[in-house]
Amino acid sequence: MPEWRTFSGLSDYQATLVAMESRAEAIAQGTAPEAIWLLEHPALYTAGTSARRADLIEPDRFEVHQVGRGGQYTYHGPGQRVVYVMLDVGARGRDVRCFVRALENWVIAALAEFNVQAGVRAGRVGVWVARPDRCGADGQPREDKIAAIGVKLRRWVSFHGLSINVEPDLAHFSGIVPCGIRDHGVTSLVDLGLPVTMADLDAALVTTFGRFFPEGRMHPDGVTPPACAE
């Protein structure tokens, strides 16, 4: 199983990126175990390989980092749990779609620990929740993104990963078009009325991880957890 590490405070983005790529290379070489890092960054925007300049609405608001992961513009900042996932996808079956689906379902399962019904949507990256209390421009209930996913593989080892909104300043997302999607908003666990802490979310991520990445394999739709003994 991977080595888990939780970083305190706010982690410098560029320094973390260098360290993550170094760890991914060591995993590929067989000199370090798989790893999952849990951290927070200072407020910043990142531009993935598909980012469109028109989606950077306020280029001078925060630092903008060009990164090699898939996807478009995303925001990172205090109150958002960033999860860097460095796994040997080659040893786990070499199925990239399976890997991404396992990441999505892992997030969905972790959120379900707080009774949040989240899911993925065709044509939209990330993990979403329905907002029956809020309507969009078409008068239909709005859907808001609560988690973003963007990964890269090198020598079949993954890096980058996902981010889950616990209690970030949601106004900071207004400087970009998050992941290029203009018709829907963003939310967080606290915005949904749930007093969830970062430690609570971390515990849920640890608890649910093995359902989707059991014993060096991938199970994209999850393994049913054993029933509790009476």
Side-chain angles (χ1 to χ4, degrees):
M1 298 298 287
E3 174 187 273
W4 291 72
R5 182 178 177 187
T6 303
F7 294 75
S8 60
L10 300 178
S11 300
D12 178 81
Y13 186 78
Q14 286 297 338
T16 303
L17 189 63
V18 170
M20 177 174 55
E21 291 190 352
S22 176
R23 180 59 177 262
E25 178 61 25
I27 294 169
Q29 292 179 0
T31 58
E34 296 177 312
I36 296 177
W37 291 352
L38 307 171
L39 49 87
E40 294 174 79
H41 286 306
L44 57 91
Y45 297 132
T46 67
T49 54
S50 301
R52 297 172 295 193
R53 180 62 182 79
D55 289 342
L56 182 59
I57 298 170
E58 298 182 41
D60 299 323
R61 187 169 186 178
F62 300 122
E63 288 186 351
V64 180
H65 297 265
Q66 304 290 328
V67 294
R69 59 152 177 82
Q72 301 184 41
Y73 282 105
T74 59
Y75 166 77
H76 293 317
Q80 182 191 72
R81 175 53 87 211
V82 176
V83 186
Y84 288 133
V85 182
M86 290 155 277
L87 298 180
D88 188 343
V89 179
R92 291 174 178 270
R94 293 199 173 201
D95 189 327
V96 178
R97 290 185 180 180
C98 174
F99 173 63
V100 173
R101 191 162 84 246
L103 289 177
E104 293 170 339
N105 286 335
W106 176 33
V107 173
I108 292 167
L111 294 174
E113 295 288 298
F114 309 105
N115 295 317
V116 175
Q117 295 184 347
V120 296
R121 302 292 185 266
R124 281 190 259 145
V125 297
V127 176
W128 299 79
V129 294
R131 303 300 304 271
D133 57 323
R134 301 182 183 180
C135 292
D138 59 359
Q140 297 299 312
R142 201 172 79 184
E143 290 189 326
D144 289 345
K145 176 181 277 192
I146 194 168
I149 296 175
V151 295
K152 182 174 181 178
L153 271 68
R154 182 179 298 158
R155 296 178 61 187
W156 286 104
V157 174
S158 68
F159 53 108
H160 295 284
L162 51 98
S163 58
I164 304 172
N165 297 331
V166 178
E167 192 179 8
D169 186 339
L170 296 179
H172 289 174
F173 285 88
S174 65
I176 57 173
V177 178
C179 298
I181 299 170
R182 297 178 178 272
D183 299 331
H184 299 275
V186 292
T187 190
S188 69
L189 287 164
V190 171
D191 183 53
L192 293 173
L194 300 169
V196 177
T197 67
M198 204 68 74
D200 293 334
L201 177 61
D202 292 348
L205 289 167
V206 172
T207 297
T208 55
F209 177 82
R211 299 183 202 171
F212 306 95
F213 300 96
E215 300 178 354
R217 294 177 290 114
M218 288 187 294
H219 197 299
D221 299 314
V223 176
T224 303
C228 294
E230 294 291 340

